Amino acid sequence: MEGRDISCPYPHDKITSMQSSLEKLRKFFRLEHENGYSNSAIIGGLAKMLDFWEGEARADGINEEVIQAVVQRLRSYDGLSPQSRADALKGLWKRIGDVYPEAAQKPRSVPGASEGTPRPRPATSEAASTRPNPTLARRPAPQPRSESMPGAKHSQTPAALNAPLTVLQGVGPKHAQTLEGLGLKTLGDMLYYFPRRYEDYSQLKPIKSLWYGEQVTVIGTIQSVHTRPIRGGAATIIEAILSDGTGSLRLSWFNQPWMANRLKEGEQISVSGKVDQYLGRLVMNQPDWEAVDIEHLHTNRIVPIYPLTAKITQKWLRGLMNQVVTYWAPAVVDSLPESVRSSARLMNLGEALLQVHFPDTQDSLKSARERLAFDEIFYLQMGVLRQKRDWKSVEGRRFSVSDEWLGARLNGLPFTLTSAQQRAITDIRADLDSGKPMNRLLQGDVGSGKTVVAALAASIIATNGAQAAIMAPTSILAEQHYRNFKSLLASENGIMSEAEVRLLTGDTPEAEKDAIRAGLADGSVKVVIGTHAVIEGPVQFKDLQLAVIDEQHRFGVEQRAELRSKGTNPHLLVMTATPIPRSLALTVYGDLDLSVMDEMPAGRQPVNTYVLRPQERERAYTLIRGQIKEGRQAFIVYPLIEESEKMEDLRAAVDDYEVLSKEIFPDLKLGLLHGRMKPDEKDETMLKLRDRQYDILVSTTVVEVGVDVPNATVMLIEGADRFGLAQLHQLRGRVGRSSAKSYCLLIPSNDNATENERLQAMAETNNGFILAERDLQQRGPGEFLGTRQSGYASGLRMASLTDVQLIEKARLQAQKLFEEDADLKKPEHSLLAESLQRFWGESGKGDVS
Ligand code: ADP
Ligand code: MG
């Protein structure tokens, strides 16, 4: 090791005036020198660098002859002996030095010294290194050390992004453990630990020019701090006055008494939040705040704010991050092929990782985020395409029926299919007869009539002697499907006997369960409809050929895989009422073929939706009475989440039910439905509602999913502000299921919430796609796709599923590449293959949607 530095032909420090592509060469050559010319400075060999370097060098305006020389030398580099490699790189660097004299410079070049050279990079990246604050300066000059790796204790190759954090200066085992609590184990983890938000000190506003309603960051000095008891001492408010010389702003924190000790008079802090008004003065309530280092103020830059644990400070982590990012981000090898990168106009990965942590400008931050988001969608899509291909690579049994046969089934229906339903059935018929297993997602808004489509699919299988299983998320729904299927398959139609269509839920008596299981095993039961009981261990099918999953967002991926595994490559139909934009559906469910039912059965009218104040409840009751007089029925729903129905909440619902039935509607028949009822009680209640023995059903959200009682025309939702949009839309979908005019009445839990955006959105539109898009914007993909699926979407840290344009771009690029080299066998795709493996390795492979 020793002496190597002295003989190292490549400058130790960053040459600040040099183009970044040359700067990269310097870094890698230097690393290679330290590694004894073992061709290990880059994973896969130095030639790998050409994948990205050539394009970058051109973008930097590097002399074409120089580029060619680099390309030639590096291509043949691997075949050389260490000595020849040393000579090759030295020769190359000298050549570069001839054309770009600054490259030949020895360390300590003066920033900005070479005015004459073209410098396409933003000037800030150079200027930053001359700034006083080392923690914030982007790419500061590495400290001179005997080893070249700034911040690292050992010489590392870029391959060592897997290196533990203890290689970093200032990180011992203790800190490493704390960082592990944040999920940070390696340098690579650090690079991908993105800021939660940024403080844009380049856009600071003086207090005197703040506007009411603005979302801003302000820096100032704390003038005073007071604690004020409110509500007769039951709570406290901490108030502080912040001033910045131009004016003052009152800050207040509600019920956080400890804040009083943390805010010190005379201290400088930054606060972020919305500017509000109180008695004519500007205030900020519950702002995010942070003590400010004086230096930050002068940096004039965008500062990252990371998610933290209690044991570390923002400043410490930021400093550490700076150390990691500065050195390692440029060393990250971009695995996205140059062709993709340039045609999608993406920032290169190293630069993106740099910019996402320490952005130069809002624009570069945007490009960085876009690049990182692109990667996520791109990898997602590559995996999904592969999954789809794998599924299609196996045989599926062919099932077909004649047009006459199908016509007779359709004639037996009480209605004519919508053209959307017909299209879906045409798709399914083609799939079942394709020789490949069907993998189809049937997407249709609530009430669009998905059930009948599934029943027809099952009938095609059953009439050919094989078995079909339908899985629904609740026993109420399973039971309802069972009745529909029976009337479609067994009664008038006579495709099969009643004994061949069975219902299997957790509540089915043991003896009956045994009989059904036996029937499934010997093939005498043709169609089974049920809950997850259908996939439970002992259930075996003789010949399962179709698996249908209703309300698929309610199931986990494993459950779907399990159902499928009950047969050999059975056909699969999954149904969802979650209306997601097409491009998104293609990405998230890209492994499935898609049928969209974007049409409601004829004669349906939009549900009239009103937001009422709690005091206006009587109006709601009047409307309900009027509808019941006309022979209709109503739902009154309370905001209890079925899985977590707590006893006290439940008591409230039961109490309300008592009040409603004894005092408000003493003359009407009311039923009660909640998640804690015994299954047969639930079924009985639903049957009574269906048979009009109840006028009103008082319920928790168990009615949310799928329940179909077309005679019901009023849906009153109490505490409506406590529901998400998707759920409100589902609940509203319980009415408006016939040609009669229906109503949805939303009563928030308090007066203020009548302005609630979600409730207003509900009143504005009945269109599930529009609502879904809003929900997506407000709550993000995890909520939107359902908690069960967030594991799948959690690979998406940067990508916003609302950015349809980006999704579309990444999807098309992935598709193009997939068509060209599906298995990433080409040498120029080998890095990508590795990254893809890592991406999917983390989020779990297999049944992705
Ligand atoms: P979802 O798509 O929400 O599962 P369902 O399958 O429960 O909807 O159907 C909603 C209601 O519409 C049911 O009462 C069903 O019988 C009825 N229905 C389905 N298709 C049609 C149609 N083409 N014309 C009239 N009514 C229909
Ligand atoms: Mg349904």
Side-chain angles (χ1 to χ4, degrees):
M1 276 283 148
E2 68 176 20
R4 206 174 252 168
D5 244 16
I6 298 160
S7 67
C8 179
Y10 317 110
H12 193 159
D13 283 5
K14 173 188 163 68
I15 299 170
T16 45
S17 59
M18 195 159 68
Q19 281 87 342
S20 78
S21 51
L22 295 183
E23 173 62 16
K24 269 190 196 145
L25 277 189
R26 179 190 67 79
K27 275 199 178 120
F28 288 123
F29 286 10
R30 195 175 165 82
L31 258 178
E32 187 58 13
H33 171 77
E34 284 159 18
N35 293 340
Y37 295 99
S38 56
N39 198 16
S40 59
I42 291 181
I43 317 168
L46 231 55
K48 272 280 177 283
M49 166 166 199
L50 297 174
D51 290 348
F52 63 86
W53 187 83
E54 216 182 326
E56 261 179 64
R58 288 223 174 83
D60 270 353
I62 302 294
N63 177 310
E64 189 60 29
E65 278 174 30
V66 169
I67 295 179
Q68 287 312 320
V70 172
V71 170
Q72 263 178 23
R73 293 272 162 80
L74 293 190
R75 277 235 170 93
S76 54
Y77 187 77
D78 191 41
L80 305 176
S81 69
Q83 186 52 54
S84 319
R85 284 175 182 166
D87 294 340
L89 293 195
K90 268 178 219 156
L92 208 45
W93 193 249
K94 182 167 175 303
R95 171 101 189 249
I96 291 169
D98 291 339
V99 185
Y100 298 96
E102 66 271 26
Q105 268 174 41
K106 277 294 172 186
R108 305 282 105 74
S109 65
V110 184
S114 57
E115 245 68 3
T117 11
R119 295 194 316 179
R121 298 260 144 190
T124 46
S125 63
E126 278 86 24
S129 60
T130 64
R131 291 212 174 109
N133 178 9
T135 55
L136 286 173
R138 201 189 118 205
R139 302 184 205 159
Q143 297 115 36
R145 285 162 60 92
S146 58
E147 285 167 278
S148 72
M149 204 66 49
K153 288 169 188 163
H154 313 287
S155 172
Q156 300 287 330
T157 68
L161 285 178
N162 299 332
L165 297 179
T166 43
V167 303
L168 295 169
Q169 235 173 13
V171 177
K174 244 219 170 93
H175 276 132
Q177 207 176 4
T178 309
L179 289 166
E180 200 171 327
L182 293 170
L184 303 173
K185 287 189 216 150
T186 65
L187 298 176
D189 294 341
M190 290 279 283
L191 287 179
Y192 279 87
Y193 191 67
F194 301 135
R196 176 165 61 90
R197 60 185 181 87
Y198 303 83
E199 266 336 345
D200 192 346
Y201 291 124
S202 64
Q203 308 269 313
L204 280 180
K205 265 200 142 176
I207 290 174
K208 79 165 189 305
S209 46
L210 294 184
W211 290 94
Y212 165 63
E214 241 179 345
Q215 182 78 38
V216 286
T217 297
V218 181
I219 285 185
T221 309
I222 298 175
Q223 301 295 315
S224 63
V225 184
H226 292 289
T227 306
R228 197 153 60 81
I230 53 168
R231 295 192 191 151
T236 55
I237 281 193
I238 306 291
E239 282 175 342
I241 304 294
L242 187 77
S243 90
D244 70 350
T246 72
S248 63
L249 180 67
R250 185 205 302 244
L251 313 172
S252 68
W253 287 271
F254 176 71
N255 237 3
Q256 300 177 28
W258 62 89
M259 288 286 301
N261 299 325
R262 296 184 53 191
L263 296 170
K264 306 226 162 36
E265 273 177 33
E267 193 182 32
Q268 206 146 28
I269 63 170
S270 87
V271 292
S272 306
K274 193 166 155 210
V275 181
D276 241 316
Q277 210 165 14
Y278 180 69
L279 301 177
R281 295 187 50 185
L282 293 184
V283 298
M284 211 185 255
N285 295 315
Q286 314 283 105
D288 263 346
W289 73 282
E290 197 189 339
V292 184
D293 282 314
I294 306 291
E295 312 108 278
H296 291 194
L297 299 185
H298 310 299
T299 56
N300 215 14
R301 40 176 314 126
I302 306 167
V303 176
I305 310 288
Y306 294 97
L308 293 180
T309 68
K311 291 185 199 136
I312 52 179
T313 65
Q314 196 60 250
K315 188 177 172 188
W316 183 80
L317 183 61
R318 195 183 287 143
L320 192 67
M321 204 53 110
N322 192 250
Q323 206 189 126
V324 174
V325 168
T326 302
Y327 192 78
W328 296 99
V332 166
V333 183
D334 198 333
S335 48
L336 211 56
E338 167 59 25
S339 59
V340 174
R341 213 158 6 112
S342 63
S343 82
R345 297 172 185 281
L346 296 170
M347 187 180 253
N348 79 55
L349 184 57
E351 183 69 12
L353 287 169
L354 234 149
Q355 291 295 334
V356 82
H357 289 283
F358 298 99
D360 283 332
T361 61
Q362 290 290 352
D363 279 348
S364 60
L365 174 59
K366 193 163 162 261
S367 307
R369 295 181 65 104
E370 175 165 325
R371 162 62 210 256
L372 296 166
F374 180 95
D375 279 9
E376 293 172 356
I377 307 257
F378 185 85
Y379 288 143
L380 187 64
Q381 183 67 10
M382 287 297 286
V384 149
L385 287 170
R386 197 174 283 181
Q387 175 87 73
K388 183 170 189 169
R389 183 200 56 184
D390 290 351
W391 274 346
K392 299 242 151 150
S393 69
V394 296
E395 297 276 301
R397 180 148 6 129
R398 288 178 190 271
F399 291 89
S400 66
V401 289
S402 67
D403 290 344
E404 294 72 40
W405 184 91
L406 188 63
R409 301 286 82 72
L410 298 183
N411 279 336
L413 294 175
F415 43 70
T416 332
L417 292 186
T418 65
S419 41
Q421 284 170 319
Q422 285 171 22
R423 278 196 305 274
I425 286 167
T426 305
D427 289 345
I428 291 170
R429 256 178 103 186
D431 288 350
L432 294 178
D433 198 17
S434 71
K436 304 277 169 208
M438 167 166 80
N439 276 295
R440 186 164 292 278
L441 174 68
L442 181 58
Q443 187 196 50
D445 208 346
V446 269
S448 60
K450 296 182 287 294
T451 315
V452 63
V453 174
L456 286 166
S459 71
I460 296 176
I461 301 295
T463 198
N464 282 291
Q467 291 172 303
I470 291 85
M471 190 158 75
T474 65
S475 50
I476 291 177
L477 197 53
E479 199 267 347
Q480 178 185 296
H481 283 342
Y482 171 63
R483 261 182 283 116
N484 281 334
F485 273 58
K486 238 182 5 185
S487 74
L488 189 77
L489 300 172
S491 38
E492 310 100 73
N493 265 300
I495 300 172
M496 57 189 79
S497 72
E498 297 227 346
E500 288 175 317
V501 184
R502 302 300 293 265
L503 173 69
L504 180 62
T505 69
D507 337 325
T508 311
E510 245 357 271
E512 197 181 331
K513 268 189 191 159
D514 286 343
I516 295 171
R517 285 183 195 130
L520 287 170
D522 68 19
S524 58
V525 172
K526 294 276 182 277
V527 177
V528 65
I529 296 145
T531 55
H532 62 274
V534 167
I535 50 173
E536 269 157 19
V539 179
Q540 299 291 336
F541 290 80
K542 178 157 186 257
D543 187 20
L544 179 67
Q545 288 292 334
L546 172 67
V548 179
I549 288 148
D550 193 19
E551 309 289 348
Q552 63 88 32
H553 61 285
R554 290 294 205 96
F555 290 100
V557 289
E558 331 75 46
Q559 287 165 309
R560 268 170 268 156
E562 245 168 275
L563 180 58
R564 204 171 20 198
S565 72
K566 298 275 176 183
T568 312
N569 305 331
H571 296 285
L572 176 72
L573 179 66
V574 298
M575 307 200 285
T576 183
T578 310
I580 54 179
R582 189 176 175 84
S583 69
L584 177 55
L586 287 173
T587 307
V588 179
Y589 303 120
D591 46 342
L592 302 169
D593 295 309
L594 185 62
S595 294
V596 179
M597 302 210 308
D598 49 3
E599 186 186 353
M600 287 292 163
R604 295 280 170 83
Q605 307 178 40
V607 178
N608 281 6
T609 304
Y610 304 99
V611 184
L612 299 180
R613 295 167 175 280
Q615 315 80 290
E616 294 174 307
R617 192 170 277 116
E618 194 49 48
R619 285 177 58 196
Y621 294 155
T622 308
L623 188 132
I624 290 177
R625 275 197 203 93
Q627 287 290 301
I628 289 170
K629 215 171 254 163
E630 288 178 26
R632 303 297 177 183
Q633 292 160 284
F635 293 102
I636 300 181
V637 173
Y638 285 87
L640 307 180
I641 316 298
E642 109 210 38
E643 298 99 75
S644 68
E645 283 181 12
K646 287 196 246 90
M647 265 348 253
E648 61 267 35
D649 278 351
L650 209 52
R651 211 166 295 126
V654 175
D655 287 352
D656 275 326
Y657 167 73
E658 295 287 315
V659 173
L660 285 168
S661 49
K662 295 212 172 90
E663 291 167 28
I664 297 171
F665 303 111
D667 50 328
L668 300 178
K669 289 164 292 182
L670 274 71
L672 175 66
L673 185 74
H674 60 72
R676 288 287 181 99
M677 278 161 64
K678 290 217 188 70
D680 44 343
E681 291 171 348
K682 275 196 247 172
D683 286 350
E684 199 185 312
T685 306
M686 284 313 295
L687 281 176
K688 279 186 165 169
L689 180 70
R690 190 174 191 101
D691 300 342
R692 305 198 190 179
Q693 293 181 40
Y694 292 138
D695 300 307
I696 300 174
L697 183 71
V698 178
S699 172
T700 62
T701 55
V702 281
V703 296
E704 171 201 341
V705 170
V707 168
D708 185 37
V709 180
N711 190 50
T713 55
V714 188
M715 167 61 67
L716 166 60
I717 305 175
E718 290 282 355
D721 53 313
R722 290 168 63 185
F723 293 100
L725 259 182
Q727 208 176 8
L728 288 171
H729 182 61
Q730 271 284 343
L731 284 168
R732 179 168 60 183
R734 299 310 113 219
V735 296
R737 295 187 151 242
S738 68
S739 55
K741 182 89 232 152
S742 292
Y743 304 88
C744 176
L745 309 172
L746 305 169
I747 305 188
S749 43
N750 63 64
D751 222 15
N752 297 338
T754 44
E755 294 308 314
N756 184 300
E757 274 174 67
R758 289 192 303 264
L759 303 189
Q760 294 305 328
M762 284 290 291
E764 275 163 34
T765 182
N766 266 259
N767 183 322
F769 279 90
I770 294 176
L771 291 173
E773 247 160 71
R774 294 220 193 161
D775 209 25
L776 195 54
Q777 279 159 16
Q778 288 175 10
R779 305 201 297 170
E783 290 277 352
F784 178 74
L785 294 170
T787 40
R788 295 282 175 75
Q789 266 178 338
S790 52
Y792 176 61
S794 72
L796 307 182
R797 284 184 289 179
M798 192 53 85
S800 155
L801 292 183
T802 53
D803 191 345
V804 173
Q805 255 173 335
L806 178 74
I807 290 172
E808 196 60 11
K809 183 155 104 173
R811 193 173 70 75
L812 292 176
Q813 291 288 344
Q815 210 143 27
K816 207 166 90 191
L817 188 70
F818 191 80
E819 277 158 25
E820 180 198 325
D821 182 16
D823 288 308
L824 303 176
K825 287 266 155 51
K826 295 191 180 170
E828 65 266 36
H829 298 153
S830 63
L831 270 175
L832 180 61
E834 273 174 41
S835 303
L836 196 62
Q837 176 92 39
R838 227 172 302 131
F839 181 86
W840 281 98
E842 275 168 22
S843 49
K845 178 131 174 85
D847 208 340
V848 290
S849 58

